[in-house]
Amino acid sequence: MTDALMRDAARQTKWILIALVAGAIAGIAINLSKGALPWLETVLVDVVFRLLGDVFRNALMLLVVPLVFFSLTGGVASLRNLGELGRVGGRTLALYLVTTVIAVSMALALALFLEPGADVDQATVAFVPPAPPPPLLDQIIGMVPTNPVQALATMNMLQIIVFSILLGTAILMAGEPGQRVRAIVDDIGQVVMKLVTIVMLFAPVGVFALLARAIADLGFDQIVKLIQYFLLVLGALLLQLVVVFPLMLRTVGGLDPRPWLRKMREVWLYAFSTSSSNATLPVTLRVVEQRLGASNRVASFTIPLGATVNMNGTAIMQGIACVFIAQLYGIDLTLEQLLTVVGMATVAAIGTAGVPSAGIVMLAAVLSQVGLPVDGIALILAVDRLLDMTRTVVNVSGDAAVSIIVARREGELDLETYRSA
Ligand code: ASP
């Protein structure tokens, strides 16, 4: 990475950090002065912040389909052969699976030990029989699109991934015509990255508005009521972020995790303020390639895949929520039910879209599969906003950690860039 690029990135991160702090202060000020000047609050929160924040988030989202499609297709097409696709794909998926299982198991163990739902007042919650389990087989069948254009148009990420991998494989196998198509795909990919740069110019304003609005609307009193659950989820997320991922980088990747922790900060800022792995994807991709030194070949395959299927933070929240809700209703979870939570949270995390609040919606499927009252969601929903922002940070960090490990093991990590300041 050139010095100029590095200076730009550092300056950009500094401005976004300032925007984040300013947004938090503005949000808290509005939140605490609720009702004092209702018209000003409406103008600021529902008009100004909404306009600036949503325009920015929409602009980030508009990058997602072209970015995933062109980078994944180009990434697969740039592999040396089908064997490499199998190896990189296999390693990536295995690591995504392992990190998710570790995340949910750790979350379950903590929740069983610390009992966050033991003395919470359950009088307000009514039991509703679980809904029938979601048709998993249909979900698997539905991953293969019958119409790729529709998949792209409706932003069905799993279908887009399947189509991009198939198309990339076909390009790889098609000899000279394949190489011509690959050159076009690569060129468009470069142009899309420029589009990313343009959208990023507005990041400080967007981040400020998104955060100010989110915090202005936060129900602090609800958080206090569920403080044990809230702090436990936060603690488990933090553990995954600063202990599990760095340990994996060291043991599986043979890397010093400190540069990873330092350089991921920029990605965290976006993830936290947008609450969306998808919206953060352009930044994750850029940081993993340009600042952490993974090759384009590996990053363009692992990162879009991870943003869609790898959600460690979401799995943590779902694991703790299951135990919390069970404790709330005085239900003792059997070993079988606990194992179902691990399995279901892993599957649900794959199926969760990388958009705000998707994880809490998928929690309904996990609860009903385990045989727990879905109604319990009503209670934790009130405190989910801030947790959603935080678990998105963990979700994108898992993608970046796995991507770096796979790149390292493939000999596709530029160690000089990785270690650089
Ligand atoms: N907001 C999360 C993400 O985009 C998904 C979730 O709600 O858990 O990664």
Side-chain angles (χ1 to χ4, degrees):
M1 198 172 159
T2 66
D3 284 354
L5 259 177
M6 254 153 67
R7 267 198 307 278
D8 279 356
R11 209 175 304 138
Q12 170 91 344
T13 310
K14 194 180 91 195
W15 276 109
I16 297 169
L17 194 61
I18 292 172
L20 198 86
V21 174
I25 293 172
I28 291 172
I30 294 172
N31 199 311
L32 294 181
S33 61
K34 268 235 149 59
L37 287 172
W39 61 269
L40 184 64
E41 198 182 307
T42 311
V43 170
L44 279 180
V45 177
D46 297 333
V47 182
V48 181
F49 295 166
R50 181 167 165 229
L51 178 79
L52 297 175
D54 285 2
V55 163
F56 176 62
R57 188 158 46 198
N58 281 2
L60 278 177
M61 291 302 276
L62 86 82
L63 301 169
V64 173
V65 169
L67 199 64
V68 171
F69 179 62
F70 288 106
S71 85
L72 197 53
T73 306
V76 173
S78 73
L79 295 174
R80 277 177 279 264
N81 49 50
L82 287 181
E84 193 177 0
L85 173 63
R87 205 179 55 242
V88 173
R91 273 187 180 159
T92 307
L93 287 176
L95 278 169
Y96 282 153
L97 211 64
V98 169
T99 50
T100 309
V101 172
I102 292 177
V104 62
S105 309
M106 185 248 307
L108 278 181
L110 283 175
L112 288 171
F113 183 65
L114 295 171
E115 303 196 331
D119 37 55
V120 175
D121 178 18
Q122 48 173 296
T124 48
V125 200
F127 182 85
V128 170
L136 186 62
L137 191 68
D138 286 351
Q139 282 182 36
I140 294 171
I141 295 170
M143 281 170 58
V144 182
T146 49
N147 179 347
V149 178
Q150 191 183 24
L152 292 165
T154 55
M155 214 169 160
N156 186 323
M157 296 314 292
L158 279 176
Q159 291 192 345
I160 294 174
I161 284 174
V162 170
F163 178 59
S164 306
I165 293 176
L166 281 175
L167 189 63
T169 310
I171 294 174
L172 192 64
M173 293 167 70
E176 220 174 281
Q179 289 313 308
R180 286 198 294 272
V181 176
R182 192 190 137 193
I184 295 171
V185 170
D186 282 348
D187 283 354
I188 300 179
Q190 304 263 356
V191 174
V192 173
M193 279 318 269
K194 275 279 166 275
L195 201 56
V196 172
T197 314
I198 296 172
V199 173
M200 295 307 172
L201 290 176
F202 301 96
V205 177
V207 164
F208 169 81
L210 281 173
L211 206 74
R213 183 155 178 248
I215 294 187
D217 287 340
L218 272 188
F220 285 120
D221 45 340
Q222 303 281 0
I223 293 179
V224 172
K225 240 195 268 167
L226 291 182
I227 194 76
Q228 291 172 343
Y229 166 79
F230 185 80
L231 289 181
L232 185 57
V233 178
L234 272 191
L237 289 172
L238 205 67
L239 222 74
Q240 182 83 4
L241 190 64
V242 299
V243 179
V244 177
F245 293 146
L247 262 179
M248 285 191 67
L249 281 163
R250 198 177 280 284
T251 53
V252 190
L255 290 162
D256 175 3
R258 279 171 299 183
W260 180 84
L261 281 167
R262 197 173 57 241
K263 294 176 186 180
M264 281 302 288
R265 266 183 240 155
E266 187 187 346
V267 183
W268 295 345
L269 296 177
Y270 280 86
F272 189 73
S273 47
T274 61
S275 289
S276 166
S277 299
N278 280 352
T280 312
L281 195 137
V283 191
T284 322
L285 199 57
R286 199 186 56 183
V287 168
V288 166
E289 262 186 50
Q290 296 180 0
R291 304 220 53 218
L292 288 163
S295 71
N296 173 271
R297 195 200 303 257
V298 169
S300 60
F301 178 77
T302 50
I303 296 296
L305 192 66
T308 306
V309 306
N310 185 47
M311 307 259 171
N312 298 165
T314 304
I316 286 175
M317 177 278 287
Q318 291 176 342
I320 295 180
C322 282
V323 178
F324 174 74
I325 289 170
Q327 287 168 354
L328 206 64
Y329 287 93
I331 302 167
D332 271 333
L333 289 169
T334 60
L335 183 64
E336 196 190 322
Q337 280 177 311
L338 287 174
L339 291 175
T340 313
V341 174
V342 176
M344 274 307 292
T346 307
V347 174
I350 296 173
T352 302
V355 296
S357 298
I360 200 96
V361 176
M362 282 306 262
L363 178 63
V366 182
L367 287 171
S368 66
Q369 188 74 28
V370 183
L372 288 170
V374 177
D375 213 31
I377 292 183
L379 197 68
I380 54 174
L381 196 61
V383 300
D384 197 58
R385 186 74 185 87
L386 208 56
L387 294 179
D388 188 11
M389 297 160 84
T390 319
R391 68 175 176 263
T392 307
V393 168
V394 176
N395 288 346
V396 296
S397 300
D399 308 339
V402 168
S403 179
I404 293 299
I405 293 173
V406 171
R408 168 80 165 143
R409 296 194 72 108
E410 286 292 317
E412 301 258 351
L413 185 74
D414 180 350
L415 281 173
E416 207 178 309
T417 307
Y418 180 81
R419 292 188 192 122
S420 69

